[in-house]
Amino acid sequence: MIVENVINEINRSLEVVLTYYKLNRSEVNFEITEPHVKDFGDFSTNICFLLAKKLKKSPNEIADHIVNTILPTSKILINKNGLIEAVSFLNPGFINFKINNKVFVNEFFKEGTNNPKFDTEYKNISNSNELILIEHTSVNPNKALHVGHLRNAIIGDCLYRILRTAGKDVRVINYIDDSGVQVADIIVGFKHAGFSTRINDQELSREKTKFDHYCGNEIYVKTNELYKSRPDLEIKRNTILKELEDPESETSNFTKTIVDRVLKDQLKTCWNLRCRYDLLCFESQIVQSNLWNDIFSILRDKGIIYYEKVGKNSGCWVYKSTKEGEKVLVRSDLTLTYFAKDIPFAVWKLGYLRNPFVYAFYATQWDSSVLYRTKIEKNGSETFESSSDLEKESLIDFNRISKVITIIDSRQERLQNLLVEILGKLGMDSSKYKYLGYEPVILSQSSLDSLGISVKDKNSLHMSGRKGIYIEADMALSNLEERSKAETRNRNPELSEEEIASISKEISISAVRYFFIKFDFGKMITFDIKESLSLEGDTASYIQYAYARGKRVEDKIIEASFLKIQNNLENKFEIMDFSSTEIDLIKHVCRYDIELKQAANNIDPKVLSKYLFQLATLFNNFYEKSPILKEKNVILATYRALILNNTLEILKRCMSIIGISPLKRM
RNA sequence: GGGUUCAUAGUUCAGCAUGGAUAGAAUGACUGCCUGCGGAGCAGCUGGUCGAGGGUUCAAAUCCCUCUGGACCCGCCA
């Protein structure tokens, strides 16, 4: 809050300056930024460059005038108790503001990070009249998650945590495509290619694998290979797809049990990484809900789609986009394309038309929240099976939907563009629909080597579930866990194996989460099992280590009754001279709310991960240069202990938003 | 062919939305620092014509155009 106060103060002053020139903010939209050279000051403004044109003077002249004439005479900025200590200007015409560190630090100690004022804005979630829906993960339930899926799930989960912490009401949806070709492929494998379904979970765990891995590695990949030599299987697949349209068919029931087993295993992986969801949406139920029929008639009646009579799309219902060309929605055999099925789901998420679902209990998650699944409403209360089931609008209040965020591989951006176009033409506020596209995760040469795949003329390769080119999420995580176990054991020989295992688990989860959010969405990630999951440098471990060291000091302070913090400190702030290390750390701690807001506004977790890493760096600096237990000056030591407390608090908050475990030992 | 997107230090990346002063990290290499509040750390050193060219501007890594190179999309697949 303090940093924001300073910015507001500068803002006000500059607006007063503008009135001196008989101008206002809308005419001169100046900015207040932080100069990258520390000596210039804490904040600076470009106002003189903007005024130069209007006043026909050089920026330097104007800066001189503002700093030496307007500001001193109007007495608006610099006063003895204010947070701004000095204003100066520098070629080519920046005005720089320097914070009065003593006043600032004084404010910091008074306010602290535990003061509710620190994030008052973020408290009234339940009163919010806005609701944000995030869809993420959405992996086809025919295989285990690979590291590419992790990028999706972790971005989504971090966004959920960021928006929640920033005071937004958020629900998370996981879309389960249980009636598509990919699921049909493994059903073909089970029913017609002789693969066994009888392997039960005990047998699987004896083989150190899970049902989702079994389906992905054995059934999905091998069935796809069989299609080459056995075209009859492809015909069987089409039959299965048809049969899946009838929810009461034997095939549907069989598929349901398979999908459920895979899904439960996929969720184990997601939960293991501390992702959580509110609702599972099954595609089969969107289809059964007949939402498509409602939308189809609107699309047809409004002339948004048309029936093609000639040419390659003859016999199909087609949407024609001016920008993106034509897209078939209904095939000539009357089945829907993948794209068409996406429309009712998007429309449902935006809260238009009716809501055909009630929500049934599915599972209790790692954070003890309940995960629900969609269930078609038939005739009121008869659909309820248990007391845990929820009423229609109690999980998602569609009247409050303000934004729908879909996290999706950027290869699907074109279709998402089309979707947004159609939503607009249907008369919906398509600006509420945001798809967040991220570039895929690809495999490095050494990752490919470890899979025994060799590719000519390339040093990386896209993953493919169908071709068996991927690194499984569970594998990557357990690999990292083994490495951190060795490291933890080495550093803490006195700990029991259980403790080492639990610590290593937290370290590896944190490392994976941090790794997948620190890149820009627009950058491909080349995944390398060794280099990507490092434990040194710009990693979660670095941050955890900083926290653990700090926590250790804090514990020792308490154990030794070393200091009675907060006693006898009133009004002594002025006499202390804090080092630049300490002041830099305090200032950074005070930026927490600004950074959180920015991460929320930009819908970008990377903002927060950068902030957190820098915070840990400044803390490590402080740790080296400002000893507490060894400091002989008791007052100074007490202040440092306060800085420590506050920093640890913000570190912890920030870490929990990204999903990095604050460990006391590691 | 049409479109989207990326290109910044040896390597992996921030910074680009909203132009601003001397372009930042991490890693690698090299040098110091543990009987010290935990060395998964700290300090130092090395490393850049911001892919190329043009334009707009007082000012361009950032905005616009062209080109080069990579990735992706353009299906009655999902």
Side-chain angles (χ1 to χ4, degrees), chain A residues 305-531:
Chain A
I305 59 172
Y306 65 96
Y307 185 76
E308 181 64 84
K309 287 178 182 160
V310 291
K312 62 181 172 111
N313 292 335
S314 175
C316 301
W317 284 91
V318 179
Y319 172 71
K320 189 170 189 176
S321 158
T322 44
K323 284 181 194 164
E324 308 280 350
E326 294 173 351
K327 183 72 202 165
V328 170
L329 299 187
V330 184
R331 300 186 189 102
S332 53
D333 66 357
L334 300 181
T335 57
L336 301 182
T337 61
Y338 161 79
F339 175 64
K341 289 186 197 170
D342 238 17
I343 301 173
F345 184 48
V347 169
W348 173 78
K349 284 194 282 189
L350 281 165
Y352 286 79
L353 299 182
R354 64 203 161 83
N355 176 17
F357 301 123
V358 291
Y359 311 112
F361 174 89
Y362 186 81
T364 302
Q365 306 180 84
W366 58 273
D367 65 342
S368 66
S369 67
V370 172
L371 173 61
Y372 294 92
R373 62 177 171 85
T374 49
K375 187 171 166 63
I376 300 266
E377 185 187 49
K378 282 171 191 156
N379 294 309
S381 59
E382 69 167 7
T383 56
F384 285 82
E385 284 165 359
S386 83
S387 56
S388 319
D389 291 0
L390 279 183
E391 296 280 352
K392 244 181 127 101
E393 303 297 348
S394 50
L395 185 65
I396 301 169
D397 177 1
F398 286 98
N399 295 316
R400 291 195 292 139
I401 299 282
S402 59
K403 201 175 269 290
V404 169
I405 300 170
T406 304
I407 310 212
I408 202 158
D409 187 316
S410 63
R411 281 173 286 194
Q412 299 199 39
E413 269 186 21
R414 192 192 187 88
L415 288 178
Q416 291 287 312
N417 276 329
L418 282 173
L419 182 58
V420 169
E421 253 183 58
I422 290 178
L423 294 175
K425 288 191 178 175
L426 282 168
M428 303 174 196
D429 182 359
S430 59
S431 67
K432 285 184 182 173
Y433 189 90
K434 181 181 170 63
Y435 59 89
L436 202 161
Y438 62 91
E439 289 289 316
V441 178
I442 63 175
L443 297 178
S444 72
Q445 185 63 62
S446 75
S447 296
L448 292 171
D449 290 347
S450 73
L451 294 172
I453 297 164
S454 66
V455 195
K456 282 176 189 166
D457 308 325
K458 285 196 175 186
N459 48 17
S460 60
L461 196 64
H462 277 85
M463 282 185 277
S464 162
R466 198 161 45 85
K467 293 179 190 161
I469 305 170
Y470 48 78
I471 289 182
E472 289 161 344
D474 291 333
M475 205 268 270
L477 196 66
S478 67
N479 182 302
L480 182 59
E481 216 171 309
E482 284 311 310
R483 270 192 285 150
S484 42
K485 246 186 208 171
E487 191 72 32
T488 309
R489 193 179 293 124
N490 194 29
R491 287 160 191 279
N492 303 281
E494 75 284 7
L495 289 182
S496 70
E497 273 305 301
E498 288 75 32
E499 286 169 308
I500 288 168
S502 131
I503 288 167
S504 312
K505 188 178 176 191
E506 297 306 322
I507 290 173
S508 49
I509 290 167
S510 305
V512 168
R513 291 188 60 114
Y514 187 81
F515 175 76
F516 278 108
I517 61 159
K518 71 176 187 175
F519 299 101
D520 190 81
F521 298 139
K523 287 257 165 61
M524 273 192 306
I525 295 181
T526 306
F527 188 86
D528 186 288
I529 194 89
K530 288 188 198 93
E531 285 172 26

Side-chain angles (χ1 to χ4, degrees), chain A residues 279-296:
Chain A
L279 181 64
L280 302 172
C281 292
F282 290 89
E283 182 178 86
S284 59
Q285 299 192 336
I286 305 257
V287 172
Q288 287 165 42
S289 72
N290 283 322
L291 273 180
W292 166 254
N293 294 348
D294 298 358
I295 287 157
F296 175 76

Side-chain angles (χ1 to χ4, degrees), chain A residues 42 103 118 163 172 231-232 250 261 275 303 411 464 468 536 546 596 618:
Chain A
D42 294 285
V103 176
F118 201 81
L163 293 170
V172 182
D232 61 303
E250 190 270 332
R261 278 182 80 186
C275 297
R411 281 173 286 194
S464 162
E536 283 170 11
L596 175 61
L618 290 169

Side-chain angles (χ1 to χ4, degrees), chain A residues 223-252:
Chain A
T223 304
N224 267 291
E225 278 167 11
L226 280 176
Y227 286 144
K228 287 171 212 158
S229 55
R230 289 188 53 187
D232 61 303
L233 288 181
E234 250 177 313
I235 296 165
K236 291 270 197 304
R237 179 175 70 184
N238 293 339
T239 314
I240 286 168
L241 282 169
K242 276 273 177 212
E243 286 167 357
L244 283 175
E245 286 172 16
D246 173 13
E248 307 300 327
S249 68
E250 190 270 332
T251 301
S252 277

